[in-house]
Amino acid sequence: MNKSLYFMFTAASFALLVCAPGRLAYGIILIVEMNLLAVSASAFHSFMKRFDLGDLQDILTLAVIVSATILYRQIVILFSPVIALNLGFVMYMPAVSVFLLGNVFGNEPLPPLDFLMQSLKFSAFALAFFLLRDILGYGTISFPAPWGIKEAYLFNSYSTSFLAFFASIPGSLLLTIFCMAGLLCVQYKMNIIEKSGEEDGDN
């Protein structure tokens, strides 16, 4: 993970993960939304490049992202009004993450396939993050359901109530910082190994 990718992960994480409720069920809803937005925004932007519309192209792409977000929110409301109510404004955060992940706007946005790969990489990280918060904070693994969320209990969370901190926004922020620090340490060690390999090759 290079520096730009690391900071992209950090920005997208703070935009989406910190504000969202600490449940895997909500995370699944948000991650599906983010990937749908990534595909639609990148494909639309690439298609509109053929017409050389200049700044209007970015405005139209933004309109597509907003429209797709509103449409997806209505679908979630039809599926589960409880989930839509609990998520609230957080359902608009994937649009911010899409902007940060793929550099959709600008003269040289990521190609659709590369953009999707970046989105899928972040999705794997985000789902693991939501799963960790769900287990630590509530002792459960949850999934979306028409009546709200369906829970599979792993242990009694009352016996480990101190872990409920990680289900809160401050806990999510702290956990995000730990994860980002871990990724940075891994990248640092990989850089050392890579430099050692290059030096051995030169010798």
Side-chain angles (χ1 to χ4, degrees), residues 16-191:
L16 177 61
L17 302 182
V18 174
C19 299
R23 291 285 197 170
L24 178 62
Y26 299 134
I28 292 173
I29 296 292
L30 294 173
I31 295 306
V32 169
E33 176 186 359
M34 187 188 71
N35 282 281
L36 289 176
L37 292 179
V39 172
S40 59
S42 184
F44 180 81
H45 193 274
S46 298
F47 174 75
M48 295 304 295
K49 283 182 67 175
R50 303 177 182 179
F51 302 100
D52 193 22
L53 298 177
D55 293 338
L56 181 60
Q57 178 176 309
D58 291 343
I59 297 174
L60 292 174
T61 304
L62 180 60
V64 167
I65 292 176
V66 173
S67 300
T69 301
I70 294 174
L71 177 61
Y72 183 81
R73 186 173 185 275
Q74 294 304 311
I75 294 173
V76 173
I77 290 175
L78 291 175
F79 170 71
S80 176
V82 175
I83 290 180
L85 180 62
N86 287 334
L87 285 176
F89 78 95
V90 179
M91 289 203 67
Y92 297 97
M93 298 309 295
V96 180
S97 294
V98 165
F99 174 81
L100 296 171
L101 282 170
N103 187 25
V104 176
F105 306 98
N107 295 326
E108 296 183 359
L110 287 176
L113 184 58
D114 292 343
F115 189 11
L116 180 59
M117 290 304 298
Q118 296 287 10
S119 180
L120 291 176
K121 289 178 182 178
F122 178 74
S123 297
F125 168 76
L127 287 175
F129 185 86
F130 280 112
L131 177 62
L132 183 61
R133 288 185 68 195
D134 203 347
I135 294 175
L136 292 179
Y138 301 97
T140 63
I141 298 178
S142 59
F143 301 95
W147 59 86
I149 59 175
K150 182 178 180 180
E151 299 173 314
Y153 288 89
L154 301 179
F155 57 85
N156 188 350
S157 60
Y158 291 105
S159 61
T160 56
S161 56
F162 64 95
L163 294 176
F165 169 73
F166 291 103
S168 65
I169 290 180
S172 176
L173 178 60
L174 184 62
L175 195 58
T176 302
I177 293 174
F178 285 155
C179 290
M180 294 300 105
L183 289 173
L184 187 59
C185 290
V186 170
Q187 178 61 32
Y188 178 73
K189 292 183 179 180
M190 290 177 64
N191 289 339

